[in-house]
Amino acid sequence: MIGYLAQNYPLIHAFQPPARRTRREAMATHRIFKMAPKLSDYFHEDEILAVKGTLDRPISGLVIDSRRVVPGTLFFALPGLRADGASFIDEAVSRGAVAIVTQKMPAFPPAKVTFIQVENARVALASVAQRFYKFPDREMTVVGVTGTNGKTTVTHLLKQLLNGDQPVGLLGTISYDLGARSVPSFRTTPEALDIYGMMAQMRDAGCRTAVMEVSSHGIDQQRVRGLQFGAAVFTNLTRDHLDYHKTLESYFDVKTRLFTGGSGSVPKVSVVNLDDAYGEKLAARLGVEVPTTRVVTFGEDPRAQVRAENVSLQFKRTTFRLVWPGGTLEVDSPLIGRYNVSNLLAAIATAWGLGRDPFVFLSRLRAFKGVAGRMERIEEGQPFNVLVDYAHTDDALRNALGMLRQITPGRLLVVYGCGGNRDRTKRPLMTRAVQEFADFAIATADNPRTEAISQIFDDMRGGITAPEKITWIDDRRRAISLALDMAKPGDCLLIAGKGHESFQELADTVFPFDDRQVARELIGNKALKVSS
């Protein structure tokens, strides 16, 4: 177990080198070892290519980071994009690992450690973690949400709609809600070890439902391998992560594994956006190839089972008539924009697909406060609108700005940037989307990481269509400040790209930076300057 997941401390203590122990302490240690789980409890014969050492060896926990190895743990040497876990086997052994799972058996493994060779270490990790934590996913209804955009909003909506007498767990981009406590997120879709460990905490805290964001990386890297999904949701698919997937079709193929059994199980219910071209393609494929899943479609498309009619988009609210096979209802939501109609429909269709009554669960929508960093309003008494949003693809920017264009009486201003060490091909497309809708844009740093901001700007400039409507400012705080200076009554400023993030990555340093906090501070300072 890693991070904040507690280790089995009594068992770890038993693995410590023997000092002077009383007879009573020695007997207690013997009992602990006798009851301890053994390697043989967690591996099936057909999963093992070769073994050096005994499988009749007690273990105290599972670890994927050699720095977190403690005496008695089983270390998984995972292959990675930046580093190979096999390089850290010696460190893991020196720290007290009693067994190693690897895809390549060392020529001369230490005799005191058991080595288990497997075909795919990530698949083995998922299977072993699921068994180690006693299949928590089988004691809860797990809902996985995948797609380029909307995952965070849909999972938060589902948590709100499904939260009745029992708490609902959540794993996502912003935080991990484990039922009894909530902790900051460190990855949209964590490693399988973390997923099963956190779901075990949810189960023990009384959760009977868990919702989670499922990224394409998480699917491709086997992080959700074997998870039993009560429902899987497809929001949409647009250009993103092509630095990893290379092509849009490859990106889509990875997403489909969540629905077709390519991740080890087929969801009982597949909820698919019929307004999206790839969603329509997925729904048709599932209907032919995967008869064991029930397909529920949503959208404004008249063919959708759960659909929106008479949509009214306003600046502070959205209304529409909800239609489903069991009836109709008028929906009034504080979420703005047509894409949020889609997000609402996704959550509603999923809850309905799981057998919940819309007349009951939609009453909980009134208490929904929105999602941090998703079209979040900054209200500090300024005479213009300021919104912070996570939009960081050309499609997300086009949707956000297109919506704001329709409801903004004045000018539409935008501050945006492109992340470093990520897909370079989307950078000019993001600029083109901004220039299509914004009256003026300030291009600035997002998370440059180790890439030169000059290179990022050069790529972004490839999408310029109106050079007089854009300027370039390296410093993000200064960019936001200048945009606020430009804004006049009736205008709208969108600060896009980072949303809920409270940090900025520059070179090898991560430092505090929250668009929402920066905007509030700057508005307050400017108001003080004016009043003085």
Side-chain angles (χ1 to χ4, degrees), residues 9 24 26 61 111 196-197 237 333 405 416 421 441 459:
Y9 286 106
R24 180 174 296 179
Y196 286 112
L237 190 124
S333 167
R405 176 77 284 166
Y416 82 109
N421 304 123
D459 291 342

Side-chain angles (χ1 to χ4, degrees), residues 211-260:
V211 294
M212 65 179 294
E213 297 182 45
V214 182
S215 67
S216 58
H217 291 70
I219 297 171
D220 193 52
Q221 295 174 15
Q222 310 292 344
R223 299 180 205 159
V224 294
R225 180 76 182 184
L227 263 175
Q228 303 294 306
F229 285 102
V233 186
F234 181 87
T235 61
N236 51 59
L237 190 124
T238 61
R239 189 183 188 89
D240 199 12
H241 304 305
L242 297 193
D243 55 319
Y244 181 89
H245 297 291
K246 308 307 179 188
T247 68
L248 202 56
E249 287 304 316
S250 175
Y251 181 29
F252 176 63
D253 287 343
V254 170
K255 293 285 190 185
T256 62
R257 294 180 201 167
L258 187 66
F259 302 85
T260 60

